[in-house]
Amino acid sequence: ACSTNSAQSDDKEAAAEGNSTGGTLNVVRLSDATSLDPHFITDIPSANINYQKVYEGLVKPDKDFVLQPSLAKEWKVIDDTTWEFKLNEGITFHDGAPFDAEAVKATFERLLDPATASPQREKFSMIKEVKVIDPTTVQFLLEYPYAPLLSILASQEGGIISPKALAEDPEALKEKPVGTGPFVFESWKSGQEISLTRNEDYWGEKPNIDRVVFKVVPEDATRLAMIETGEAHINDQVPVTEIERIEASETMDLTRAEGLAVEFLGFNTQKAPLDDVRVRKAISHAIERESIISGVYNNVGTLANSAMSPKVFGYSENTKPAEYDLNEAKKLLKEAGAENLKISLLTSDRKERINMAEVIQSQLKGIGVEVEIQVVEYGTFIEMTNSGEHQMYISGWGNATGDGDYNQYNLFHTASHGPAGNSFYYSNSEADKMIEAAREETDENKRLEIYEEVAQIELDEAVYVPIRNYEHIAAHNKNVSGYWLNAANYLMLDGVEIAE
Amino acid sequence: MKTLEEKKILLEVSNLKQYFSVKKDSIFQPKAYVKAVDGISFVVNEGETLSIVGESGCGKSTTGRAILRLDDPTDGKVLYAGKNIVELSKKEMRELRGDLQVIFQDPFASLNPRQTIKQILGEAMTIQKSVPKPKQRDRMIELLNLVGLPGEALDRYPHEFSGGQRQRIGIARALAVDPKLIICDEAVSALDVSIQAQILNLLKKLQKQFKLTFLFISHDLSVVRYISDRVMVMYLGKIVEISDKKDLFDAPLHPYTKALLSSIPVPNPSVKNERILLKGDVPSPINPPSGCRFHTRCPFATDRCKTDEPELRELRENHFVSCHYAEELFSPEPLLPATTK
Amino acid sequence: MLMFILRRLVQTVPVIFGVTIVVFTIMQLVPGDPAVLLAGEGATKETIESLRVQLGLNQPLYVQYMEYVSNIFRGDFGTSLKNNQPVLDEILLRLPITLELAIFSTIITIVLGMAAGIISAVKPYSITDTVVMVIALLGISLPSFWFGLMLMYGFSVKLQIFPVAGWDSLAHIVLPAFTLGAGGAAIVARMTRSSMLEVIRQDYIRTARAKGVKERVIVYKHALRNALIPVITVVGLQFGALLGGTVLVESIFAINGLGRMIVDSIRMRDLPMVQGGVLVASLVFVAVNLLVDILYRFFNKRIELN
Amino acid sequence: MAEQNETILEVKDLKTYFYTKRGVSKAVDGIDFSLKKGETLGIVGESGCGKSITSLSILRLIPTPPGKIEGGEVLFKGRDLVSLPNSEMRKIRGNEISMIFQEPMTSLNPVIPVGEQIAEAIRLHQKMNKKEARAKAVDMLKLVGIPSPEKRAKQEPFQLSGGMRQRVMIAMALSCNPEVLIADEPTTALDVTIQAQILELIKDLQAKLGMGVIMITHDLGVVAETCNTVAVMYAGNIVEHAPTQNLFDEPKHPYTRGLLASLPKINEDKEELYTIEGSVPSSYSMPQGCRFASRCPFAEAVCQQKQPELLEQPDGSKVRCWMYSDHWTGAKPQEEVFS
Amino acid sequence: MAIELNKEKPLIVTQTLDHPKQSVFGSFFSVFLENKAAVVGGLIILFYIFIAVFAPVLAPYHPHDINLDNKLMPPSTEHWMGTDDKGRDILSRILYGSRLSMGVGFAAVIFGAFFGITLGLIAGYYGKWIDSVIMRCMDVLLAFPGILLALAIVSALGPSLINVTIAVGAFSVPLFARIVRGSTLEVKQLEYIDAIRSLGAKDGTIIFKHILPNIMSPIIVQGTLRVATAILSAAGLSFLGLGAQPPSSEWGTMLSSGRDFLFSAPYIAIFPGLAIAFLVLGFNIFGDGLRDAFDPRMKK
Ligand SMILES: Nc1ncnc2c1ncn2[C@@H]1O[C@H](COP(=O)(O)OP(=O)(O)OP(=O)(O)O)[C@@H](O)[C@H]1O
Ligand SMILES: Nc1ncnc2c1ncn2[C@@H]1O[C@H](COP(=O)(O)OP(=O)(O)OP(=O)(O)O)[C@@H](O)[C@H]1O
Ligand SMILES: [Mg+2]
Ligand SMILES: [Mg+2]
């Protein structure tokens, strides 16, 4: 599906009236960035500042999440393990350093250097070497064939950093990013705001606005009130429940974009009673997913049919999760001899997730399963899932690269138990083999076939209950137009305009 | 009046000191003390009433409290029946407490407002095991009658009684454990004259009946004259004079005693006594004057008084005084006309 | 007086030590491992382990504590686990904002509270008194966060008199300061009133009347000065409640202050930041109490005699 | 008439009641007395008999509510203070009639320097500027015998001892040369040696300034020493009013007699004290007859039925007792009780 | 005329008791009942207790019953206070929530009072270094501004109603300790304590039988007022997401989730807000009334 900004066409007209360039764009957000060094960023609020604003990668996804040239003009796969990129010329970093193959090499060498201790290193571990062929040509030599390479290069971690800044003071990059993007970092008042100004020497199309300020406003209601009164322009973290209010408002509008992530109810498949596939299936049959989408999410997002969203490479329409069928569920429970079940449901403290947990709790009551909800803050959540202390849990998988491998390998492969992502502690040698095969397969159709098949296996074994394909929403005051949300929930400001 | 020949010492206090540390104004200041009682020695004979008089803050109550070991004294000995009370363990002291009892000034503060009279008396008996449980009730009624209260008072709370009646209950409580020595700390000061008379009579009667010994603390010299056998005058934590009552009132030897006696307004307009007005106020016990502590207010003070501390000397039989010039100032004539016409 | 100030300063030292111990102990009770959080989703065991070493989390507790305290004395409150900034810098960035908010709120507390209290006390049991005291009772009974949201809804969104959030102009200060100060004002009002009524009963007021002093002079000269002495202490204590209240109010009004920093850091389990934030907030409170004590003594010299 | 007899203050049938939740407390219930210039009138009586309320009523300082002056007149130089407007009353307070209270510890404003507290009274009633008033305040402190008065004037009450504070109170009361000084137990809280100083001071100043003094006390000794005439109060009434000498020599009311008999005396040894049995009736429910009847050893039927009037006696004293009226049967011989 | 005692008169005349017999509580209640505000406060509290006890009978729906088709319904005859974002009946949730909110308030205060009273009694009675040590520790706890201490404790122990209770309770320990210590010091110097000591009573007896009952009034007053504060603090912690866990209908939690709908469905936040405010108000006026009733100066 095409994910255009629903409000965009109207806004374009407004912009066409001509009174539109310049100005400071105020973006309000839930939380502050933690770091601005792409190699250390692990959270969206931080990444959002850099992505396609301060830093750019060799390639970038477009609105349909198809990868397009960015700093790289073109590329080819020389063999299974060698990729070659031709770079654009005449580009300089914000600190004046020229962009060339050496810069690319420097960036990735730092990322891959164990001494850097980048939490993102693992993701790029298939890269054996980055080889400078000439100033505008660079080769990536891989350990093993890795089809989704482009997708990880397009992620925010793949941003190319100024080699000058890297050589001088890499520590400083945490607070002061230096890239090639359309915006230059200006200042960061911790906990309060981060501001960027327009890069007047930008190699591509320069942004319309002079400046963008990301302000931290933790309270949801306050953020929206600021949009409503025009104190701020864009709020990209909107509670789904406010949609009607935004749509009804005279001063606000809504932007929606399909996402890459999928939200699901996961089972710890090694913990009794969930180690019994019948119990898992019973629960899967007892959950009425549609009502969660409409009731909890206010129809933001679509019903998921696997752990991959339609935007992810590897998605198939054909995978089928368990039908809502209470009788079947009860029957399965009986078969399993599991009566008076008491199961805990772990979730992080995100509001929608808590709501969802409550709904699941109430739905499972229908088959006599008593659910105890455990709400913990995100850090504890991660720890608990990493250490396998949990029974059921609600989580989402970001699919940051938009490729099925990132999804399947991390979520379901035996090698990924625990922190790497497989908190189901699911282990199926057949599935493992298929995932490995898909990873090395270069024929896209074949990969798609493998993914469809393995995804159905996982659903049949009731490892999880897919709930929702993400949809990102943002509210903006009617005087802004031209921005969009990409599928990974980054705010894209290339066309943004502020009307007076 | 008692004859003093067959006196037997019940309590002996020697060199009793009680210092209270006071809050300092600065961490650099040396530790300061209120020398509330500063080395006093005296004896209390069995069956007698010894009174302690003196102005507010001179250490009367402190002396009483130290004897009862309500506060642990800084130094000195308190010998009761041959035992030094100060050195007794908590447990030994608890056992001895039946012998030493106390009656306080404030009839409103001296009874637990949440206990009935029965509980108050019962608790006293139980703690000291003076009366076995089944006999307690009878004994309580007996005690109440003894102090002039009806038995029906047992089930009431203290707030239902008048000040004088409460004082009677306090006395009954003290008697409940069959004490030998009762310390009366301002036991009648808070009462109106008519009630005061009742309580004073009661105390006298009980003393006779039970051969009690009283240590009677008061600042009211008229009351002291009425109730005591011997009187001890204190000034700023020291004994200035101690003697038989008659001797003291008729022929005081210390200038302070004289001034004190002459300051009492006499309820008889025809008596015009010659008054010795003292200058100024009582000095602070934190930094008491050097030498004789009274020298700052004494009309007869000399340079010697500023430096030398006078000893307590026996100038007449059983009449001790601590003044360098007691002999010279001593006048055979009583300062006060002894009686009304 | 100087001696008194010195002595109070010295007395403060063990309290501060106690505070560091409590803060440290509480933070040790936090379940889980900050390194795991810091490493983020999908980090390897080695990454986490190296982070632990880097953060000194593998040391025994008392070593960590000693380290912690000695660092504090050197002005080193550690670095944020979240963004690797020195905690002290982060705090110093926010402290002035919170102090500003607290001071404005305190002014509201004092002015509003005392005025209301005096109005009430001058005519006790009158209609004015009843109305003022009912409002004051409501003031201490309403949850402040709720009150703040209501104010924002009314005055910013609907009436658009004040800006919704932020901390740029005087207009931004009004609503949060009022939200924060209202509860305190209510308490001060009640305290002022009861203190006034208490003082009016005193013997020296009767003495003033017996001199022929006018009622108005009695209220403002003889009674008020005495009545305000206990109120000073209440204002001091209120300051503590106020500092605590910033946690909520700063979140609602998006003020980048210490309170919000603490809440955010708790959420992120950024231990050094929480430790530092709570410690500094307590130090500020201790300092305010010290000031109040000195003021109190200044106004009430009798205190030393009791 | 006031000028001729030099009577400056006359209290007629003064009644002050307190309206409380427990009922009406008739604290002062029909009091009559008068005060001449230069005279000292003592008012004695047991705690709660209405002494303080009487004195506060004169200056209209009763806490209202619950207190209220229910009737009677307080004639000061011919003017009835009870019905005077507040502003007029303020002019009299502290100026023509002053008062000293019992508690020197609490009767001075703790946060105002004592000199200023005296100066305030002066400035209220005399046309003086701040500086003059302050100078006068220092003079007054000197007059009451406070050493280094300039220094003391700048001090706050907590820096002074009890005796000194009472002197300050006296200085304040006398600063405008009042014609009447009401001293409500001015020495009760003080030690005897200090009490002697203060009483001496009041006597001296009275002789010097010639004012009328009402000395309220429960100490018959103080009365004997300082007063010309004495009013004995019992349960809201005056039961006996007599020249001091007469009262002590020949007390008439059984209560007065009992009181004197029950007093231990400094210059006298006694084996046992006389006691007045029973207790004061509650001020909320006064008996209809004589209020002392229930405790009176001589009470007859008439005493229970009707309250006696204050009867003038040949020696100039007045007594509220049926014994001195024609209704008396004399059934119980009194000599057996007291002598 | 010299006055001599009549020798025939009995020395001791038995006194008559002229006050009618009355209990301590009788007089207290009469004073209390005259304080209209306090009675109103008491009635409010009783009303809430009634609600808490009979919630299952009174509530029209089950508080946890989710009905997503019915969500965000404004107040109507079917749902008097409307429904929340999951279609749960707000009235029912508030009724059930009274158990939790009041429970937290009472439990926290009992917890804080227990430790505070114990420490305060020990410090006040034994004095000297014990007093210093205990009170310095209390000073340390008091040095934490407002709910920061509670916040820190909850963040350490994890969010749950029980932990909130502990945290809020811990926060009031020093307050009780101070009050109890002060009152203990006051009562300790009363003469009846010396009297019982000189009878040889043990420390335990003195503390628990003679001191504690006589300092109950400030404790009860403080306790009542603290319940109010505890309910508010707990709600504040819930607001920050550190309190009761879903689907709990604790009012603070309800209010916290309701704040997202403050503009679109304000009744979700308004009703629990009012429920809290009203209950807290009840405790506040009740506490005030108690204070007046206990205060001897108020007894006219
Ligand atoms: N616990 C204490 N701590 C400090 N100082 C004390 C203490 N008890 C008594 N003092 C001081 O010791 C001195 C003597 O006090 P004490 O109570 O013995 O006097 P007193 O003669 O009984 O006086 P009064 O007639 O007023 O009862 C006073 O200055 C008093 O302030
Ligand atoms: N505010 C009040 N409310 C009710 N009754 C009062 C009040 N003030 C005084 N009374 C009553 O007035 C009566 C007389 O009180 P007053 O103060 O005049 O006694 P007093 O003779 O001065 O006693 P004392 O010697 O104790 O000072 C008392 O019985 C008391 O009950
Ligand atoms: Mg004493
Ligand atoms: Mg009086």
Side-chain angles (χ1 to χ4, degrees), chain D residues 51-52 102 184-185:
Chain D
K51 306 184 295 291
S52 300
Q102 171 172 0
D184 186 357
E185 316 218 19

Side-chain angles (χ1 to χ4, degrees), chain C residues 175-190:
Chain C
L175 291 185
F178 192 75
T179 306
L180 203 49
I187 290 173
V188 168
R190 286 156 55 84

Side-chain angles (χ1 to χ4, degrees), chain B residues 23-28, chain C residues 3-4 7 10 297 304:
Chain B
K23 262 202 175 158
K24 297 173 291 175
D25 200 34
S26 138
I27 42 166
F28 309 112
Chain C
M3 276 304 165
F4 173 79
R7 194 182 64 196
V10 172
R297 184 177 147 99
E304 196 60 16

Side-chain angles (χ1 to χ4, degrees), chain C residues 37-257:
Chain C
L37 181 70
L38 189 67
E41 216 162 334
T44 62
K45 288 207 168 67
E46 296 81 70
T47 320
I48 294 169
E49 207 37 56
S50 72
L51 265 171
R52 287 179 58 86
V53 175
Q54 194 184 321
L55 299 168
L57 294 172
N58 54 343
Q59 302 267 14
L61 268 189
Y62 72 95
V63 176
Q64 288 187 43
Y65 174 72
M66 306 274 264
E67 188 78 350
Y68 170 63
V69 171
S70 69
N71 283 342
I72 283 173
F73 272 102
R74 278 182 264 122
D76 174 9
F77 284 57
T79 47
S80 160
L81 301 184
K82 187 183 72 177
N83 62 9
N84 269 313
Q85 296 297 305
V87 169
L88 193 62
D89 292 1
E90 293 280 319
I91 290 172
L92 290 180
L93 186 75
R94 293 166 170 85
L95 186 62
I97 298 175
T98 294
L99 285 183
E100 212 175 318
L101 174 61
I103 288 169
F104 274 102
S105 309
T106 306
I107 292 172
I108 288 177
T109 295
I110 293 175
V111 173
L112 219 64
M114 286 188 182
I118 293 169
I119 289 172
S120 267
V122 168
K123 278 199 179 146
Y125 312 108
S126 66
I127 299 208
T128 329
D129 176 32
T130 313
V131 170
V132 171
M133 283 303 121
V134 166
I135 293 174
L137 256 177
L138 282 177
I140 52 175
S141 301
L142 290 180
S144 72
F145 41 94
W146 190 68
F147 184 55
L149 285 173
M150 294 290 166
L151 284 182
M152 184 195 287
Y153 181 61
F155 288 97
S156 304
V157 178
K158 288 287 158 209
L159 300 175
Q160 307 221 346
I161 299 174
F162 298 110
V164 177
W167 197 250
D168 301 320
S169 68
L170 210 62
H172 281 104
I173 296 177
V174 179
L175 291 185
F178 192 75
T179 306
L180 203 49
I187 290 173
V188 168
R190 286 156 55 84
M191 183 70 201
T192 307
R193 177 181 182 271
S194 66
S195 173
M196 277 292 273
L197 291 184
E198 171 79 41
V199 166
I200 289 280
R201 280 205 292 254
Q202 296 299 310
D203 289 351
Y204 55 83
I205 296 299
R206 191 179 58 189
T207 307
R209 291 214 175 96
K211 279 195 284 193
V213 180
K214 288 201 188 85
E215 272 313 294
R216 208 168 42 82
V217 180
I218 286 180
V219 168
Y220 292 103
K221 181 175 171 186
H222 290 265
L224 196 55
R225 277 207 228 169
N226 286 289
L228 290 188
I229 292 167
V231 175
I232 294 172
T233 321
V234 170
V235 171
L237 287 177
Q238 262 331 100
F239 193 85
L242 216 122
L243 277 182
T246 56
V247 166
L248 294 157
V249 172
E250 288 178 353
S251 292
I252 294 170
F253 289 98
I255 298 163
N256 186 31

Side-chain angles (χ1 to χ4, degrees), chain A residues 219 221 241-242 245 291 294-295 351 354-355 358-359 361-362 373 375, chain E residues 65-66 68 71 85-86 88 159 239 245-247 259-261 263-264:
Chain A
E219 197 61 31
T241 45
E242 299 283 4
R245 175 166 163 242
S291 73
S294 65
K351 275 174 214 158
I354 298 175
N355 288 345
E358 288 181 62
V359 172
Q361 180 186 46
S362 128
I373 300 175
V375 181
Chain E
D65 271 354
I66 289 177
L68 292 172
K71 67 176 187 168
D85 57 323
K86 288 175 211 74
R88 295 176 294 205
F239 184 83
Q245 298 302 297
R259 76 187 138 151
D260 291 340
F261 307 93
F263 305 129
S264 49

